[in-house]
Amino acid sequence: MQIVRRRKVLQKHASRRTSFRFLVIGLILVGEMTVSFTGGLIVGNPWLPNYLVDRMNGRSREVATVKVKPPPQPSTAVEYLNLMNYDEKTLTPAERSVAAILNDAVAHLDIRKPPFQVFSESVLPKIETVQPGEDLTKIRAAVQQCQDVADSAVRYYQDLSAQLTTKLTGAGVPPSTAQETAQTFAQWAQEAGKVPWPKEVNKACASITTLLDVLSENSSQWTRQSDGRLLFTSQQLLDQYNAATTDLNAAIKAINGG
């Protein structure tokens, strides 16, 4: 089974990516907090820290500075989101209201726990060592925990998008554009909060559950060999197991950015 190799790739990739991100983001934050503080003193813009979120998202490659020229009249989601980058003095009252709504949302973002962390640490290692007739209660509990974290992340960003849509519509943004703006903001917030792949993690957990069902309901038709591989006495069971493993590996590949 390729789960072990996939897990090692996932853990190695996640570890390297996390360490590298923390290092880079740490350097960026130190430098840009200084810029934000100094810029705030000079131009009196209370929203400069929001550029840090923009830089963390990789959405801007420019130095985080206030745009002092009036923006073009916004009509797209990106243009409305870009209002956060302008000095409020250059905005119309309607644009200032939109920027204030978005900046307030940034200030109240809730950093969610990465669901892939629960998955890689608590679920995969256990499924790879399960034995015939073994009590799977703890493994199923770990899978449920993983799903709860993923579902919580999905709900949070769905709620965030819905709330922003209502507020932006109330501020005069056309309904369809308000919805697109809110959805884009929620997506960027999820990336900045390092909560990738909740849906993919849920798919992986569903595949794990299928594997557990296949193995637990047919414990007399398979054994685990000394090298960790499984030996089945039923071709039908083997086919079911392989199908579930294929779905699991596909989900892991998606989590790993493949």
Side-chain angles (χ1 to χ4, degrees), residues 176-223:
S176 61
T177 306
Q179 183 178 29
E180 183 182 357
T181 302
Q183 290 174 345
T184 303
F185 180 94
Q187 178 185 341
W188 291 4
Q190 181 175 335
E191 294 171 4
K194 302 180 185 64
V195 191
W197 322 303
K199 293 182 180 179
E200 287 77 5
V201 170
N202 237 340
K203 292 178 182 178
C205 288
S207 298
I208 287 285
T209 298
T210 300
L211 281 176
L212 293 175
D213 291 342
V214 169
L215 297 178
S216 64
E217 294 171 5
N218 304 276
S219 58
S220 63
Q221 300 182 52
W222 63 275
T223 59

Side-chain angles (χ1 to χ4, degrees), residues 1-16:
M1 186 170 84
Q2 298 297 318
I3 298 178
V4 175
R5 183 174 65 82
R6 293 280 189 185
R7 179 169 67 85
K8 290 182 178 179
V9 170
L10 172 63
Q11 291 177 327
K12 183 177 181 181
H13 180 82
S15 177
R16 287 181 176 178

Side-chain angles (χ1 to χ4, degrees), residues 91-104:
L91 303 178
T92 66
E95 293 170 345
R96 194 176 302 131
S97 177
V98 170
I101 290 171
L102 295 172
N103 278 294
D104 182 68

Side-chain angles (χ1 to χ4, degrees), residues 90-121:
T90 68
L91 303 178
T92 66
E95 293 170 345
R96 194 176 302 131
S97 177
V98 170
I101 290 171
L102 295 172
N103 278 294
D104 182 68
V106 170
H108 292 89
L109 283 178
D110 183 13
I111 302 301
R112 318 298 291 179
K113 183 178 181 180
F116 73 88
Q117 196 174 0
V118 178
F119 179 81
S120 61
E121 294 177 359

Side-chain angles (χ1 to χ4, degrees), residues 163-175:
Q163 292 168 9
L164 272 180
T165 298
T166 300
K167 291 180 180 179
L168 291 173
T169 301
V173 180

